[in-house]
Amino acid sequence: MTSSIADVATPTPFADLPFFVKDVQALTSDLVLLDTVPAESLPPDAQPGQFFQILLEGGEVYLRRPFSLVTRLGVVHRFAVRVVGRGTSAIARLRPGDRLRLLGPLGTGFPLAPPGARKLLLLAGGVGAAPLASVLAAVAAGKTAFRTSDVAVVLGIRRSEEAVLARLFRPWAEPLLAVERPSRDAEGRVVPPVAFPGTALDAAFARWQELWPDPVPPEEIAVFVAGPKPMLEAAFRRLPAAARVYGAFEAPMACGTGLCRGCVVETAVGNVRLCREGPVLSREVHFPHLAPREGDAS
Ligand SMILES: Cc1cc2nc3c(=O)[nH]c(=O)nc-3n(C[C@H](O)[C@H](O)[C@H](O)COP(=O)(O)OP(=O)(O)OC[C@H]3O[C@@H](n4cnc5c(N)ncnc54)[C@H](O)[C@@H]3O)c2cc1C
Ligand code: FES
C-alpha cells in the first residue's frame, strides 16, 4: 500500500466559479456529455467521486443541480448528464459559450487506498459510470493505491444504445457490459455481442472468476458502486461480506455544502449529510446490517 495516499477520503476546499460551456454532445436520446471550462480560475482538484453543484445562468432554473465530475482534462471539466427533468433538460439545450457557475468540488469521494484491498471492482449502473470513470482516471494518474491492471469494470445499462457510456472508461479499461433489455439480431443473439444479458451485479457474479487473471480472496477486493438506489442496496446486500464495499449515493440537494441538512440519510453511525460526509458511504461503517451473513447465498 502506498503510504502517501490517504486511506480515508475527506471533503476538500471548494469554490464557486464562473464557467463557460465548451461543448454539449448528445450520447443518446437522454444522455449528454457536458464539457465546461473556467472563465477565470480553476477550482481545487477534485477527489474521485466528488461532485459540483451546477447553476445555469439566465434564470430558467433557479436551484443548482449536483453532478459528479467525470474527468478534468487540462482545464476541461466533463460531466455526463441524464435528462430527467427541468434542470437537466436545460443543460441538454446549452450551447458552446453559454455561461454557468460551478460550486465545488463537494462532498467526500471514494477512498484512494481502501484498507487491505489490492484489487478494485467498479460496478456502474447507467450514468453511475460518471463518478466511477473519475476513479479510473485517478488510478491511471497514479493517485491511488491501485494500478490500472488491478481494476475491473462492469457497466450495467438498460438498453443497448447506452453502451456508448463505456466510452467514459476508455482508454483505461474495457468494461464488461451488462444489458438489462438487450437488443437482439434476427437470430436472437444479444447485440452488441460482448454484452451480458442482465444487471451489472448479475454479470459481476457470473464472471467473478474472470475479472482478474488470478484468484483474489474477497477480503482483498474493494468494490465501488454507483447507480440507481436499488442497485446500490442490492450490491450492499449481495457482495461478499469480506469485500470492502463503497457506494455513491444520491438525494435531491439544495445547498450542497452541509448547511441545509436537506440531504440527510440515516446510517449505523447516525445521520449523515450526503453532500458532506457522502455522497460516498461505506457498507462497513454506514450500513453493516446490509452485509450478507456468512453462509448466505448470493
Ligand atoms: C452527488 C450527486 C451526484 C450526481 N451525479 C450525477 C451525474 O453525474 N449525472 C447525472 O445525470 N445525474 C447525477 N445526479 C442526479 C442529478 O443531480 C439529478 O438527476 C438532477 O438534479 C435532476 O434535476 P432536474 O431539474 O432535471 O430534475 P427535477 O425536475 O428536479 O426532478 C426530476 C425527477 O428526478 C428526481 N430527482 C431529482 N434529483 C434527484 C436526485 N439527486 N436523486 C434522485 N432523484 C432525483 C425528482 O424527484 C423527480 O422525480 C447526481 C446527484 C447527486 C446527489
Ligand atoms: S444539500 Fe444542504 S446539507 Fe446537504
Side-chain angles (χ1 to χ4, degrees):
M1 204 70 63
T2 315
S3 58
S4 61
I5 293 169
D7 279 357
V8 180
T10 46
T12 49
F14 56 84
D16 182 8
L17 294 169
F19 270 66
F20 286 114
V21 173
K22 179 170 183 285
D23 193 25
V24 183
Q25 235 186 92
L27 293 181
T28 67
S29 53
D30 65 351
L31 280 171
V32 296
L33 276 188
L34 169 68
D35 285 344
T36 63
V37 289
E40 293 159 9
S41 50
L42 275 169
D45 243 342
Q47 300 292 330
Q50 284 192 298
F51 65 98
F52 283 81
Q53 287 270 67
I54 296 185
L55 178 67
L56 304 181
E57 295 210 335
E60 189 182 345
V61 181
Y62 289 107
L63 287 177
R64 294 175 187 263
R65 301 291 197 270
F67 296 95
S68 310
L69 182 70
V70 178
T71 47
R72 167 163 147 180
L73 287 177
V75 297
V76 179
H77 288 60
R78 168 166 285 187
F79 300 90
V81 177
R82 185 184 294 284
V83 176
V84 296
R86 266 186 59 203
T88 45
S89 301
I91 287 177
R93 288 195 301 273
L94 288 170
R95 293 287 166 262
D98 285 348
R99 298 175 66 94
L100 23 77
R101 292 193 76 86
L102 262 61
L103 172 69
L106 298 170
T108 304
F110 289 101
L112 302 178
R118 63 182 183 89
K119 299 289 178 192
L120 177 62
L121 170 60
L122 303 180
L123 206 53
V127 80
L132 296 183
S134 76
V135 173
L136 197 53
V139 170
K143 294 179 179 170
T144 75
F146 303 101
R147 291 161 305 171
T148 313
S149 56
D150 297 327
V151 185
V153 185
V154 181
L155 169 62
I157 52 178
R158 296 236 160 92
R159 293 163 286 130
S160 298
E161 65 157 351
E162 293 184 352
V164 68
L165 280 169
R167 265 176 56 185
L168 301 185
F169 295 103
R170 297 177 189 135
W172 308 295
E174 188 56 46
L176 165 60
L177 206 56
V179 192
E180 279 180 51
R181 294 193 291 273
S183 308
R184 293 182 187 269
D185 64 14
E187 276 78 48
R189 290 179 296 239
V190 171
V191 183
V194 289
F196 174 95
T199 67
L201 200 55
D202 291 338
F205 278 113
R207 305 278 175 83
W208 193 262
Q209 306 300 335
E210 301 157 37
L211 293 176
W212 297 279
D214 303 317
V216 190
E219 59 273 21
E220 294 179 12
I221 299 175
V223 187
F224 294 176
V225 193
K229 199 172 170 202
M231 174 189 176
L232 262 71
E233 196 176 319
F236 276 29
R237 287 189 187 283
R238 290 178 58 194
L239 287 164
R244 306 252 173 202
V245 185
Y246 301 82
F249 286 77
E250 286 188 13
M253 288 183 180
C255 71
T257 55
L259 297 175
C260 73
R261 302 193 68 81
C263 63
V264 162
V265 293
E266 261 181 60
T267 74
V269 291
N271 288 345
V272 301
R273 297 160 299 177
L274 280 186
C275 70
R276 196 77 186 143
E277 291 79 39
V280 175
L281 301 179
S282 137
R283 178 175 71 178
E284 194 181 12
V285 173
H286 298 99
F287 302 104
H289 54 284
L290 294 183
R293 281 161 304 170
E294 216 169 308
D296 282 358
S298 65

